Amino acid sequence: MGDGMLCDMRDIDSLYNAAFEGNFPKSLVTVIGSKVPKDVSIALFTNEAGKPGCSILLQSGPLPPTVMPGWNWGSKFWSTPLGSVYHDRDSADTSPDAKTFDCAVGVVIGRSQLRQTVLELRFTLRRNEQLRGRLVALLEDVAPHLQHALRILTLRCHDSQAVRMASGMLELLPFPTFLLDSDGVVQRLNSRATALVGRMDTLSMGADESLHAADPASDAALYEAISKISASHHKRADIIAIKKSGIKSRQFITIARLPTTELLANGSCAPGFDSRAMLVLIAQQCAEPLSISHDMLWHTFEMN
């Protein structure tokens, strides 16, 4: 690590890419490790509010895991501003066994009501004059990017959970169900809907994942209904009949607009949806028996 050597654009780019890909901790330690001498120990860890200990996420360097860290986290650093560099002298813990290292500088890169995430660099006392100022400059330079990257990683994890929840809830519905944007492009669908479009006798999906009726007249009626429901401030639902290909049978389709504004406001909207309008389309298969999963039957009738 030379004097004034800070993270360049390639380093910053790799941190953001790692956040999107889900391997941010490893990338962070790798990037910081390429900027500091080998005798500097790097620790990335979390601490829960009101608890003195911590959980190490990843570390690199000469100090073994058993001696990291030794701070009194319950008092001093929870009041340290997010992104501000702290020093070992800032520790409120002065007990003889508290410091199992010589010197340290660190930064809190993420904090919620229950947990904070910390990056800390540790080094020996004999290297204090050589390293402290340069390590502080490195942390001050990279801290804003680490905060943003960690936020991206957190949102990515929340989005993955929202996707799984949305898919699971769709599977509970006993009818073929689609979630569409205002252009008729399918955003989510359950397994019954997948089977329905696979038969291609009533509904099908184009190469752009837009939903279409097999009958041309029915397709025009479908998109007229989608357009009206998406644009109307008063009409939130409609029911149309779609002809099946080659036979006189019809299938009833319910189209309803979801309360997008409310969903976006409280963060319930699953990722990937068009923010202009979200529609749910349910194909009511009146001529077919209602399909309920075995698991639902067992729980409904309390079978054992």
Side-chain angles (χ1 to χ4, degrees):
M1 171 182 166
D3 289 337
M5 184 179 291
L6 303 177
C7 290
D8 57 29
M9 290 305 298
R10 288 176 298 179
D11 298 322
I12 300 303
D13 186 58
S14 68
L15 289 173
Y16 283 114
N17 285 336
F20 281 110
E21 294 169 1
N23 57 352
F24 172 67
K26 182 178 180 180
S27 178
L28 186 158
V29 171
T30 300
V31 168
I32 299 300
S34 69
K35 301 298 177 183
V36 302
K38 292 184 178 180
D39 61 343
V40 173
S41 183
I42 305 167
L44 180 66
F45 49 89
T46 62
N47 164 252
E48 294 185 13
K51 296 183 179 180
C54 70
S55 299
I56 297 176
L57 300 177
L58 209 59
Q59 76 159 57
S60 175
L63 296 179
T66 54
V67 300
M68 302 181 84
W71 296 103
N72 181 359
W73 283 98
S75 54
K76 197 77 171 181
F77 294 148
W78 272 92
S79 60
T80 299
L82 187 67
S84 297
V85 175
Y86 64 80
H87 297 258
D88 49 285
R89 56 180 175 268
D90 297 327
S91 174
D93 194 341
T94 57
S95 62
D97 298 328
K99 295 184 178 180
T100 53
F101 53 90
D102 292 319
C103 304
V105 292
V107 60
V108 180
I109 63 173
R111 179 181 289 142
S112 65
Q113 291 183 338
L114 300 178
R115 183 178 295 107
Q116 61 182 0
T117 303
V118 183
L119 171 66
E120 191 166 276
L121 306 179
R122 301 184 177 200
F123 48 99
T124 60
L125 183 60
R126 64 181 179 83
R127 297 272 278 160
N128 183 48
E129 289 189 15
Q130 294 174 293
L131 294 180
R132 185 178 295 271
R134 294 156 64 192
L135 294 178
V136 168
L138 172 63
L139 290 179
E140 289 177 341
D141 177 62
V142 76
H145 299 290
L146 298 182
Q147 292 177 65
H148 291 313
L150 183 60
R151 179 63 176 160
I152 290 171
L153 178 65
T154 301
L155 291 174
R156 177 186 181 274
C157 294
H158 289 170
D159 285 351
S160 298
Q161 294 172 1
V163 169
R164 290 194 296 269
M165 182 177 294
S167 299
M169 292 182 69
L170 283 178
E171 286 302 321
L172 292 175
L173 300 177
F175 299 108
T177 306
F178 304 81
L179 296 181
L180 316 172
D181 65 15
S182 56
D183 294 321
V185 176
V186 176
Q187 304 292 313
R188 301 276 188 275
L189 70 166
N190 62 12
S191 57
R192 295 172 180 83
T194 301
L196 178 63
V197 296
R199 294 197 297 268
M200 301 181 68
D201 60 350
T202 306
L203 295 171
S204 64
M205 288 174 59
D208 60 351
E209 298 189 338
S210 58
L211 191 65
H212 292 280
D215 175 69
S218 296
D219 191 54
L222 173 64
Y223 273 84
E224 181 181 0
I226 288 175
S227 178
K228 287 182 178 180
I229 296 299
S230 299
S232 176
H233 293 289
H234 304 289
K235 189 173 185 179
R236 301 186 66 92
D238 198 2
I239 298 177
I240 63 173
I242 290 181
K243 293 181 180 179
K244 286 192 175 183
S245 178
I247 58 177
K248 294 182 179 180
S249 177
R250 293 174 179 265
Q251 182 157 28
F252 289 100
I253 301 293
T254 299
I255 305 172
R257 187 174 76 251
L258 296 175
T260 310
T261 303
E262 292 86 344
L263 287 172
L264 291 174
N266 63 27
S268 300
C269 180
F273 284 121
D274 189 325
S275 60
R276 295 169 296 172
M278 293 194 298
L279 309 175
V280 58
L281 184 150
I282 301 175
Q284 299 170 8
Q285 299 172 298
C286 300
E288 297 183 13
L290 180 66
S291 175
I292 301 177
S293 68
H294 286 89
D295 186 64
M296 186 178 295
L297 285 172
W298 279 90
H299 283 82
T300 300
F301 295 102
E302 300 181 351
M303 297 180 180
N304 51 43

